Amino acid sequence: MSIPATSEAAPGDWLGTLLGPRTARVLTTYAVPCLHYAHWQALWRFRLADWTNDTTYGTDRYHCLCETFGRIVKDRLPRAKVHLPTDRLGTPFTVVTGNWLIYPWRYGRTRDDRHQGLAVTDETGIRSRIVGGGPPGQQMLDYEGLPSVPLSNVVVLGWAGNRHEGLVRAFLATPHLHGDLVYWNEDRFVELDVEAGRHPYGLPSGPSPAEEPDVPPPPEFDLSLIDGGVDFPEATGTDG
């Protein structure tokens, strides 16, 4: 996966410093291909039933992302702890690694403007999950059944997409609060290449794949299809 550089230092260096190089590699290698696969599975089911709508498509895509990326994390980062929505009703998909929490978050309404703050209560945002009331940086992410994690120890996997275009944006960033809005830290933000892993599953490349009638179903999820021959070393006791 190529990540466009914006300065002399690689823009993703901060990620390896915070999470460790192996965790950073897992995120930047597998997040986007898993999002593509989740889109393709949700799109296939969407076309099989005439009663589905964009809401059900989005829900299906999210749960497919949880299962596929969760499987990769468990395989590549055995010391990390994966929390799936199926584990406890209402629990979001999160990955805890060391003192850090990775939070996949659909970034829908402001996909083209990284500088636009999102309201804490926005349905597409962290919503009421950020609680506390102290100054920015002291709020906590508080989920039932999960330990409280300071906002300063959260990395967000943000993405935007829809059933007509597929995945259109993905990034990794650390959030901060300013008043009632969530922003991204300038020095801890990296845009991911949304073309990486778009085609291994036969995902249509036409302008409106949702309208194509005779596209075969995607194959079963297979880590080797995403890896594409990448040499990923075995985990050690100090990884993840």
Side-chain angles (χ1 to χ4, degrees), residues 67-197:
E67 292 296 332
T68 55
F69 193 64
R71 278 177 54 187
I72 284 177
V73 168
K74 290 177 180 179
D75 180 82
R76 298 301 196 213
L77 302 172
R79 291 171 61 88
K81 188 169 184 179
V82 177
H83 296 272
L84 298 173
T86 52
D87 295 336
R88 183 190 296 268
L89 185 62
T91 297
F93 176 37
T94 57
V95 174
V96 178
T97 173
N99 295 323
W100 288 86
L101 183 143
I102 301 163
Y103 180 25
W105 175 14
R106 181 176 176 272
Y107 186 71
R109 296 182 185 175
T110 54
R111 73 181 195 188
D112 297 321
D113 186 358
R114 65 180 273 189
H115 303 289
Q116 182 172 348
L118 296 179
V120 173
T121 56
D122 193 322
E123 288 294 330
T124 65
I126 295 180
R127 206 176 172 186
S128 60
R129 303 296 187 184
I130 297 179
V131 298
Q138 293 188 8
Q139 283 77 5
M140 309 289 283
L141 289 177
D142 186 17
Y143 304 117
E144 183 180 2
L146 296 182
S148 293
V149 176
L151 190 63
S152 58
N153 282 48
V154 173
V155 172
V156 169
L157 165 62
W159 83 91
N162 56 59
R163 65 184 179 89
H164 297 286
E165 300 171 275
L167 182 67
V168 297
R169 188 180 187 198
F171 62 83
L172 294 160
T174 60
H176 71 273
L177 291 183
H178 184 72
D180 292 329
L181 298 179
V182 180
Y183 290 86
W184 310 116
N185 292 310
E186 280 296 306
D187 59 342
R188 292 182 177 180
F189 183 102
V190 58
E191 198 85 29
L192 299 178
D193 177 10
V194 296
E195 294 306 313

Side-chain angles (χ1 to χ4, degrees), residues 6 142 156 175 212 238:
T6 56
D142 186 17
V156 169
E212 297 182 19
T238 59

